[in-house]
Amino acid sequence: MDQEKTQEPSPCRCVAAELPRRSLLTAGLALLLAPHDAALAAGESNPRGADAKPANPRSMRPQLGDTFAYLSGEYKDKKVMAADLKVGEPPRLVYPVDPVTETVRSGSRVNQILLIRTEPSHLAAATAPRAAEGIVAYSAICTHNGCPITLLNEDGRSVVCTCHGSRFDLADNGTVLTGPATRRLAALPIAVTDGVVTVAGPFVGTLGAAPSQQ
């Protein structure tokens, strides 16, 4: 199974200027500590558990058990219930929400997710285990140029990016049906718990637009 990936710029690798002989020991120590300092600057956990900067809950990827809230419109921030989603209706743009603190994870554009209900019998073998009651969830960010996807195709199971026309089959693993996108949408496993749509696992696939296509 794919693991979640996000296209991120590579960290800068800088070459230090020549140092005086007496500074070599200090410079060597600094180089040894550089990866550790870089990790802290990026908000990663400190492997020694000391002075670590905690991750921003608003920017964290969806966590197991998270609920969802509508991204915009008259129901903005309202919890998404399975009964809200009907077969044949356009996908709903949502954000994951920490169910304990009620923090909406809207701090990262990559966390924009689309939810849609389709006929369970239409779901492909790779998609069915990640769905619940015919509801599937995918990254809402088009893999071509990063536009949000909001339009349901007339077939009722695929969505279209209105920026450049890429079409993705949500019933079959987010597969690309029409370009210019060449990479499928990242899928998000979900469950329905007491009528509430919840996160059941991490993203499967690469998030965001492909650098070669930007």
Side-chain angles (χ1 to χ4, degrees), residues 16-33:
E18 185 177 355
L19 298 171
R21 185 184 303 272
R22 64 187 179 184
S23 301
L24 290 178
L25 181 60
T26 302
L29 180 60
L31 288 174
L32 287 174
L33 293 176

Side-chain angles (χ1 to χ4, degrees), residues 40 42-45 52-61 63 105:
L40 293 182
E44 298 174 2
S45 58
K53 179 181 178 180
N56 182 349
R58 293 184 65 251
S59 301
M60 292 173 64
R61 295 291 176 267
Q63 303 294 302
R105 304 194 196 280

Side-chain angles (χ1 to χ4, degrees), residues 127 138 167-176 183-185:
T127 305
Y138 289 89
R167 186 161 62 96
F168 304 89
D169 190 345
L170 302 189
D172 188 11
N173 210 31
T175 302
V176 177
R183 192 181 69 223
R184 70 178 183 84
L185 295 176

Side-chain angles (χ1 to χ4, degrees), residues 8 13 33 44 46 49 69 84 86 106 117 126 129 141-142 160 164 168-169 180 186 197-198 205 207 214:
E8 301 284 358
R13 296 181 179 276
L33 293 176
E44 298 174 2
N46 184 343
D84 297 340
K86 312 293 185 185
S106 57
R117 187 193 288 267
I141 304 302
C142 181
V160 181
H164 302 99
F168 304 89
D169 190 345
V197 184
T198 61
L207 294 163
Q214 294 182 23

Side-chain angles (χ1 to χ4, degrees), residues 5-156:
K5 300 177 183 177
T6 306
Q7 297 293 350
E8 301 284 358
S10 300
C12 174
R13 296 181 179 276
C14 302
V15 179
E18 185 177 355
L19 298 171
R21 185 184 303 272
R22 64 187 179 184
S23 301
L24 290 178
L25 181 60
T26 302
L29 180 60
L31 288 174
L32 287 174
L33 293 176
H36 172 76
D37 294 339
L40 293 182
E44 298 174 2
S45 58
N46 184 343
R48 293 193 176 117
D51 300 325
K53 179 181 178 180
N56 182 349
R58 293 184 65 251
S59 301
M60 292 173 64
R61 295 291 176 267
Q63 303 294 302
L64 184 66
D66 276 3
T67 59
F68 295 97
Y70 293 101
L71 187 151
S72 61
E74 62 178 313
Y75 298 114
K76 184 179 185 299
D77 295 334
K78 178 186 175 184
K79 183 181 295 184
V80 179
M81 307 296 291
D84 297 340
L85 308 175
K86 312 293 185 185
V87 174
E89 290 186 347
R92 307 292 184 91
L93 287 181
V94 301
Y95 278 125
V97 179
D98 185 318
V100 177
T101 65
E102 298 187 350
T103 299
V104 179
R105 304 194 196 280
S106 57
S108 171
R109 185 169 175 270
V110 174
N111 282 346
Q112 293 182 17
I113 297 163
L114 58 84
L115 290 175
I116 193 169
R117 187 193 288 267
T118 187
E119 294 290 350
S121 61
H122 292 171
L123 297 176
T127 305
R130 296 196 286 265
E133 299 181 8
I135 302 169
V136 291
Y138 289 89
S139 167
I141 304 302
C142 181
T143 58
H144 170 239
N145 206 34
C147 295
I149 299 172
T150 59
L151 182 64
L152 179 67
N153 192 49
E154 59 185 10
D155 61 13

